[in-house]
RNA sequence: GGCGGCGUACCCAAGUGGCAAGGGAGAGGUCUGCAAAACCUUUAUGCAGCGGUUCAAAUCCGCUCGCCGCCUCCA
């Protein structure tokens, strides 16, 4: 298995520090507002990485934190005139609400910064003792000059950074690049007691403290959005390695951005969509599928058009599932041999898993993996066209379903029934019909068809289509589905 | 200014040395009472451009053009 490591700038063979054990720390969110789809991407990417590693048999411990104390939270609390911790709690709840809908599983450990203040203070003390940090007027700063490897993750050297430094002027700092480990609290701000007086932690120190506590000094994978690379992750490395004297994370994994009109989607540009906004018009599975249809390190251009395409693609998946089920449900004759068509199709079935695994093994290439899945979809459709009948052929179809479900579970998509998919689409598209009404129309129409009243039959078909329901006549039944347009 | 990335069909998107996956859209066809779905055919002798290395290049090297990101809070 290969993973692209930001630290080395190369795709590397994945070798855990301890056999069979993988520890992952992914930076979560600062809980001061609703999540946008960029947060969704990051959460989904690491959710899939974690699921895949488990699928490959690793014993995975996944930690994802919440930053629940920070300038933005305090600002929001002041604006709304409510306590800061109420803000944090509210948006933590909303985070879960969104992520649950997107099929993002809870991490094994989900620490909150404010629950680790003592651990952070310990590290800051240690860093001062070791000469990596200094205190001035109740603030403690990390001295980047004292840490030799500073810049190794983001590939920049100190001189360049100094030249282009746009950091806030702070006369307390010895070096403009130094960053705060502990901030003295201002009047009216939340604070914790510390050896340096009343204050609160700097942003970066929480991840060092929480990863150390739950994963140890060194662990396998550390990740987050590409925008955390600098300064956040660079600073984490400096703090953690200065404190422990050991290498921090072995593999650094960063997901790419979502773009709108080719520009990075961001809060400050205001060009963002919240998860719930998008889910007002699209099924959560559509968004999840869309985000996995591009490799995690590439930028994804977000648009309505793209989501509609993703919706059509998913519909193709579920339509095929229905076709498979229709054949499986039918009576079939005992048969010891594949039909000719079955023989050809069996090659695809038997080689599929290997293709899926090799795609995912190559730096979690979900886009390629999905390509393989849709290749199987195409092949199973071809096979179904050739009217498989014997028990041996049916076995192949059952195996196909099993494979789709197994690989779908890794990506956490494709695991509903076609009926559930269509019911969800009905709601989202505001179709003014109940399932009972549709069934009754279908019955009316089939009565008309019995009497060869094609005019009436076509009228009913048309009437339903105008309301967004498509009918598919099969040999012994009529299926309905929501029209995708 | 420093560092990094990207440019593959009408659109999206895999592919990092050996005949260019997959999806969407379009056109034609098979099937169907009519449809829908599905399938078949068709849509890149070509991978931003120009050179180079190689038996062999979308893939490696150089230059040019275009776009984007990080260097400040950001997933």
């Amino acid at each position: 298995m290969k993973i692209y490591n930001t630290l080395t700038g190369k795709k590397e063979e994945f070798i855990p520090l301890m056999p069979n054990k993988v520890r992952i720390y992914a930076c979560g969110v600062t809980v001061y507002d609703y999540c946008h789809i960029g947060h969704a991407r990051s959460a989904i990417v690491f959710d899939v990485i974690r699921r895949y590693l488990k699928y490959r048999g690793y014993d995975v411990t996944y930690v994802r934190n919440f930053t629940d104390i920070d300038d933005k939270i305090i600002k929001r609390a002041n604006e709304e005139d409510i306590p800061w911790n109420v803000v944090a709690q509210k948006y933590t709840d909303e985070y879960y609400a969104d992520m649950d809908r997107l099929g993002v599983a809870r991490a094994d450990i989900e620490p909150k910064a404010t629950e680790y203040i003592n651990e952070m203070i310990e590290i800051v003390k240690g860093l001062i003792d070791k000469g990596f940090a200094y205190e001035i007027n109740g603030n403690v700063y990390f001295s980047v000059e004292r840490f030799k490897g500073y810049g190794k993750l983001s590939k920049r050297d100190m001189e360049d950074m100094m030249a282009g430094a746009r950091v806030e002027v702070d006369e307390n700092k010895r070096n403009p690049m130094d960053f705060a480990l502990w901030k003295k609290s201002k009047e009216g701000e939340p604070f914790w007691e510390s050896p340096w007086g009343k204050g609160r932690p700097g942003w970066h120190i929480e991840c060092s403290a929480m990863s150390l506590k739950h994963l140890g000094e060194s662990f396998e994978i550390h990740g987050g959005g590409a925008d955390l690379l600098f300064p956040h992750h660079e600073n984490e490395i400096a703090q953690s390695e200065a404190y422990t004297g050991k290498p921090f994370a072995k593999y650094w994994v960063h997901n790419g951005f979502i773009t709108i009109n080719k520009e990075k989607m961001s809060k400050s540009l205001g060009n963002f969509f919240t998860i719930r906004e998008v889910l007002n018009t699209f099924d959560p599975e559509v968004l999840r599928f869309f985000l996995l249809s591009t490799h995690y390190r590439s930028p994804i251009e977000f648009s309505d058009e793209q989501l509609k395409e993703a919706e059509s693609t998913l519909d193709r998946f579920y339509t095929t599932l229905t076709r498979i089920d229709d054949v499986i449900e039918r009576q079939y004759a005992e048969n010891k041999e594949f039909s000719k068509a079955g023989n050809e199709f069996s090659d695809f079935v038997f080689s599929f898993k290997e293709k899926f695994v090799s795609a995912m093994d190559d730096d979690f290439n979900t886009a390629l993996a999905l390509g393989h899945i849709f290749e199987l979809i195409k092949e199973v459709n071809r096979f179904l066209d050739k009217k498989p009948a014997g028990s041996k052929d049916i076995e192949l179809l059952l195996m196909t379903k099993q494979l789709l479900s197994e690989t779908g579970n890794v990506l956490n998509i494709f695991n509903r029934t076609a009926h559930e998919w269509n019911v969800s689409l009905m709601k989202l598209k505001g179709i003014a019909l109940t399932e009972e009404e549709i069934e009754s129309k279908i019955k009316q129409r089939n009565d008309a068809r019995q009497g060869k009243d094609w005019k009436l039959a076509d009228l009913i078909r048309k009437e339903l289509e105008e309301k967004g329901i498509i009918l598919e006549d099969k040999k012994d039944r009529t299926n309905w589905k929501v029209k995708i347009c």
Side-chain angles (χ1 to χ4, degrees), chain A residues 32-145:
Chain A
Y32 74 106
D33 204 349
Y34 295 111
C35 287
H36 58 64
I37 53 178
H39 299 112
R41 183 178 195 190
S42 188
I44 289 170
V45 163
F46 288 98
D47 186 59
V48 168
I49 288 176
R50 180 242 206 137
R51 284 170 195 270
Y52 184 65
L53 289 167
K54 279 174 106 164
Y55 176 74
R56 292 291 262 131
Y58 288 105
D59 173 15
V60 180
T61 303
Y62 177 39
V63 178
R64 184 184 52 200
N65 70 298
F66 286 103
T67 299
D68 63 344
I69 181 67
D70 146 286
D71 289 348
K72 294 190 289 287
I73 295 171
I74 294 169
K75 183 164 172 261
R76 174 58 65 106
N78 289 338
E79 283 165 6
E80 296 187 9
D81 201 25
I82 48 176
W84 64 272
N85 53 345
V86 172
V87 172
Q89 188 56 52
K90 176 183 174 187
Y91 291 107
T92 302
D93 294 343
E94 301 293 3
Y95 172 91
Y96 282 131
D98 289 339
M99 294 304 166
D100 286 352
R101 292 179 73 189
L102 291 173
V104 174
R106 305 295 164 103
D108 297 304
I109 302 161
E110 303 193 325
K112 296 177 175 178
T114 55
E115 291 165 357
Y116 295 82
I117 302 289
N118 289 338
E119 285 82 350
M120 291 189 236
I121 289 173
E122 274 311 301
I123 295 175
V124 175
K125 274 204 288 205
L127 287 170
I128 293 175
D129 290 347
K130 293 183 182 190
F132 287 105
Y134 55 94
E135 186 254 327
I136 292 178
N137 298 330
N139 294 293
V140 182
Y141 299 98
F142 186 91
S143 176
V144 295
E145 284 163 340

Side-chain angles (χ1 to χ4, degrees), chain A residues 106-241:
Chain A
R106 305 295 164 103
D108 297 304
I109 302 161
E110 303 193 325
K112 296 177 175 178
T114 55
E115 291 165 357
Y116 295 82
I117 302 289
N118 289 338
E119 285 82 350
M120 291 189 236
I121 289 173
E122 274 311 301
I123 295 175
V124 175
K125 274 204 288 205
L127 287 170
I128 293 175
D129 290 347
K130 293 183 182 190
F132 287 105
Y134 55 94
E135 186 254 327
I136 292 178
N137 298 330
N139 294 293
V140 182
Y141 299 98
F142 186 91
S143 176
V144 295
E145 284 163 340
R146 294 279 291 108
F147 182 72
K148 275 196 236 48
Y150 197 73
K152 67 182 175 184
L153 180 68
S154 53
K155 312 278 185 290
R156 52 194 87 205
D157 63 58
M158 292 286 295
E159 274 180 37
D160 288 344
M161 282 190 277
M162 295 296 291
R166 281 194 276 158
V167 287
E168 221 175 300
V169 180
D170 183 343
E171 65 278 10
N172 286 327
K173 293 183 189 175
R174 290 181 192 160
N175 180 317
M177 296 310 300
D178 289 352
F179 56 90
L181 295 169
W182 186 263
K183 297 159 97 161
K184 181 179 180 170
S185 66
K186 300 193 189 96
E187 195 55 37
E189 280 183 354
F191 64 84
W192 285 263
E193 296 291 350
S194 83
W196 318 284
K198 292 175 168 144
R200 60 195 166 91
W203 173 35
H204 317 295
I205 194 70
E206 65 181 71
C207 292
S208 290
M210 297 186 289
S211 62
L212 177 64
K213 175 107 178 185
H214 293 293
L215 299 177
E217 295 175 330
S218 304
F219 55 94
E220 283 74 21
I221 297 175
H222 192 131
D227 42 6
L228 297 181
L229 217 152
F230 188 90
H232 184 55
H233 289 160
E234 193 68 62
N235 292 354
E236 272 186 59
I237 292 177
Q239 294 162 351
S240 293
E241 296 192 349

Side-chain angles (χ1 to χ4, degrees), chain A residues 425-427 429-434 438 467-469 482-483:
Chain A
L425 287 181
M426 277 224 294
K427 272 195 205 126
K429 293 178 187 293
I431 289 171
L433 286 168
T434 63
I438 295 170
K467 290 181 174 165
I469 298 296
V482 175
K483 189 180 179 181

Side-chain angles (χ1 to χ4, degrees), chain A residues 267-281:
Chain A
K267 281 252 163 178
S268 42
L269 286 169
N271 60 345
F272 63 91
F273 294 94
T274 60
I275 293 169
R276 57 194 57 198
E277 243 176 306
V278 173
L279 298 190
N280 276 334
T281 32

